[in-house]
Amino acid sequence: MDKQKKTLLILAVLLGVALLGLLGAKKLADKKEKADAIDSAEESIQVYSVDADDVTKVAYYNNGAQVTLTKTDDQWQDADGVILDDDKVRTMLSYLTTIKASDVIEDTDDISQYGFSSATNEVTVTTKDSETTFMIGMQNAITDKYYLMVNYDESKVYVIDSSMLTACSYSTSDLMLDES
């Protein structure tokens, strides 16, 4: 019986040590995750930011077809005047109103190497005060990020995630009011 108690005591101590080790490892992982999030936020480059309520027009291409959305009297409509679902348009706009880059390439010699060759990769966001055109380049096969040029300024090429392409994946029918 004495031998069993010793074995149980040793197993309980080992279990306690293992639990303490797991808790310590979790704390370290949480600290690293927080530090990485802070580093990531500090490293991101603000490319564009506008309040979604200030946007009056958006134009982009979806599967080769141009999509133009216009806000009139606080209602979004497509080029044919069809009233769109405000919540769905706001979701789409969330990808376009704050654009951050992970890197910027300055003083580029040849922008064609970044895939800026087609007008079908353009997104134009209009507010009452300005119009900004974004040209989305090719995807970098290594990083899975995309290249972005703003207002045809060839002196800076930004490296962004796929959120702008997500915005351009909305067709007019995706944005229509649900018929109930």
Side-chain angles (χ1 to χ4, degrees):
M1 191 80 155
D2 199 27
K3 192 175 185 180
Q4 285 180 338
K5 285 183 182 180
K6 276 186 180 179
T7 304
L8 283 174
L9 182 62
I10 291 172
L11 287 175
V13 169
L14 287 175
L15 181 62
V17 169
L19 285 173
L20 286 174
L22 283 173
L23 288 173
K26 179 163 178 22
K27 273 191 170 185
L28 281 174
D30 289 345
K31 281 185 180 179
K32 182 176 180 350
E33 187 177 307
K34 286 179 184 176
D36 288 347
I38 290 169
D39 288 345
S40 176
E42 289 174 356
E43 291 177 13
S44 66
I45 300 160
Q46 186 75 36
V47 177
Y48 181 75
S49 182
V50 66
D51 188 332
D53 290 332
D54 295 338
V55 177
T56 58
K57 182 178 177 183
V58 176
Y60 59 91
Y61 287 87
N62 174 272
N63 294 326
Q66 183 162 14
V67 175
T68 302
L69 311 175
T70 308
K71 185 176 174 184
T72 308
D73 298 326
D74 289 333
Q75 283 190 319
W76 283 97
Q77 46 189 280
D78 67 6
D80 297 326
V82 175
I83 302 297
L84 303 174
D85 185 315
D86 188 61
D87 290 334
K88 292 177 183 179
V89 173
R90 283 186 165 286
T91 299
M92 186 267 309
L93 285 175
S94 70
Y95 297 108
L96 299 175
T97 54
T98 301
I99 300 168
K100 293 185 178 187
S102 58
D103 198 8
V104 61
I105 304 164
E106 298 190 59
D107 302 321
T108 56
D109 292 332
D110 179 18
I111 64 157
S112 67
Q113 66 183 327
Y114 302 106
F116 299 115
S117 59
S118 171
T120 61
N121 292 335
E122 287 186 8
V123 179
T124 302
V125 178
T126 306
T127 67
K128 66 177 184 169
D129 299 323
S130 68
E131 181 175 277
T132 306
T133 300
F134 303 97
M135 187 169 228
I136 304 168
M138 68 181 187
Q139 181 180 26
N140 181 307
I142 296 169
T143 64
D144 287 334
K145 303 268 182 164
Y146 292 83
Y147 298 110
L148 177 75
M149 188 169 43
V150 181
N151 290 329
Y152 308 102
D153 179 3
E154 296 181 9
S155 67
K156 289 182 183 180
V157 173
Y158 296 95
V159 180
I160 62 166
D161 63 18
S162 62
S163 59
M164 287 196 78
L165 292 171
T166 300
C168 297
S169 69
Y170 285 86
S171 67
T172 304
S173 61
D174 292 331
L175 300 170
M176 289 184 176
L177 291 166
D178 291 327
E179 294 182 22
S180 299

